[in-house]
Amino acid sequence: MLLSPETHFTTPDARGFSHVDTWVFDLDNTLYPSDARVWPQVDERITLYVMGLYGLDGLSARALQKYYYHRYGTTLKALMVEDGIDPHAFLDFAHDIDHSTILLDEALGTAIEQLPGRKLILTNGSRRHAERVADKLGILDHFEDVFDIAAADFVPKPERITYERFLDRHGVDPRRAALFEDIARNLVVPHDLGMATVLVVPPTPDPFREQFEQEAVKEPHIDHITSDLAAFLRSCVLPVAREPEA
């Protein structure tokens, strides 16, 4: 199902935020809205890469790309396993997009700035992509660092080792951290490790993403669901984020 605009859902036994001192955010389709048209551009660039690599027409390349995505979790991982491609060259190509569609998000910037503690980005994309997008949104300066796919040794979420590497690299106690993510399966391991989890979904169906990627699924590993990240931080997180622990 999809939530209506500015709707939030919290499970009865959800982990709260009063104990959180580290705030972790996914990038793509989490920190920007679907109308920013970032992901459709990246997705199209990946298709173009597959076309060039295998000499395929657009439809065939698209089909192979999606097959790889479902089998390996990311197209990059598939191409590294199947053909040993240079991941850096792939990421440079995939993220060579038009950033003019990304608008400054003052509400989100203010909410993130007011979160007490550390703020980090954890993405399956590249550092350069994350920094450029976050800069256009006007939120880059609020983040301590970016943990990208290269830092994860090109092992993508939702693999457990990726979260463990992230936590170790930045000295994060998962029991005192919260993760905001747009894909439900990417929250399974973080919740198991002790993090509070927030699923960010689009307020209306996004035609450029698959259904499972945008469903507001109510599962035990998801503490909160929102279709408006800035509003959720402002109304559901900030009021309790500074409360003393029980």
Side-chain angles (χ1 to χ4, degrees):
M1 72 172 184
L2 292 176
L3 298 185
S4 58
E6 297 191 22
T7 296
H8 319 302
F9 172 79
T10 296
T11 61
D13 57 348
R15 293 168 181 167
F17 302 103
S18 62
H19 67 293
V20 172
D21 59 20
T22 304
W23 310 87
V24 187
F25 294 82
D26 172 53
L27 177 79
D28 287 311
N29 299 308
T30 297
L31 286 174
Y32 59 76
S34 58
D35 58 12
R37 298 298 300 274
V38 174
W39 182 249
Q41 293 187 72
V42 174
D43 202 28
E44 182 178 358
R45 294 288 294 174
I46 294 174
T47 302
L48 290 172
Y49 187 95
V50 174
M51 288 174 63
L53 181 65
Y54 295 115
L56 299 172
D57 62 81
L59 288 176
S60 299
R62 185 72 175 173
L64 180 60
Q65 174 190 346
K66 293 307 173 183
Y67 167 75
Y68 276 164
Y69 172 63
H70 284 282
R71 181 177 178 185
Y72 289 93
T74 65
T75 307
L76 172 57
K77 181 180 179 181
L79 296 178
M80 290 178 66
V81 171
E82 297 287 344
D83 285 279
I85 67 162
D86 176 1
H88 299 285
F90 172 89
L91 291 167
D92 286 345
F93 185 91
H95 294 148
D96 184 15
I97 63 172
D98 176 16
H99 293 83
S100 66
T101 56
I102 306 171
L103 302 179
L104 182 71
D105 193 334
E106 294 183 358
L108 180 62
T110 298
I112 291 176
E113 182 180 24
Q114 292 177 351
L115 291 172
R118 307 167 67 195
K119 299 111 184 186
L120 298 158
I121 292 176
L122 170 58
T123 176
N124 276 346
S126 68
R127 171 183 289 273
R128 182 170 180 266
H129 174 61
E131 290 178 341
R132 293 184 71 182
V133 171
D135 184 57
K136 288 289 292 183
L137 288 167
I139 62 176
L140 179 59
D141 291 343
H142 303 318
F143 288 96
E144 174 184 319
D145 203 358
V146 175
F147 186 91
D148 70 348
I149 192 66
D153 198 24
F154 299 102
V155 179
K157 298 178 289 183
E159 297 294 332
R160 188 182 187 90
I161 187 62
T162 297
Y163 301 101
E164 292 175 342
R165 284 170 174 161
F166 164 76
L167 296 170
D168 182 64
R169 168 75 67 88
H170 292 288
V172 174
D173 180 351
R175 296 164 298 180
R176 299 185 62 85
L179 176 62
F180 300 79
E181 165 73 52
D182 71 298
I183 298 180
R185 68 185 183 189
N186 289 353
L187 292 171
V188 174
V189 172
H191 191 270
D192 182 56
L193 291 170
M195 300 177 80
T197 56
V198 183
L199 179 65
V200 181
V201 298
T204 57
D206 184 347
F208 297 101
R209 300 174 65 199
E210 296 189 45
Q211 186 65 26
F212 84 91
E213 296 175 314
Q214 51 186 316
E215 288 184 334
V217 295
K218 297 178 181 179
E219 298 288 347
H221 63 279
I222 298 172
D223 295 313
H224 311 269
I225 306 173
T226 181
S227 59
D228 187 324
L229 178 58
F232 179 78
L233 292 175
R234 184 171 58 249
S235 64
C236 301
V237 178
L238 287 172
V240 300
R242 293 186 175 89
E243 289 182 357
E245 294 183 57

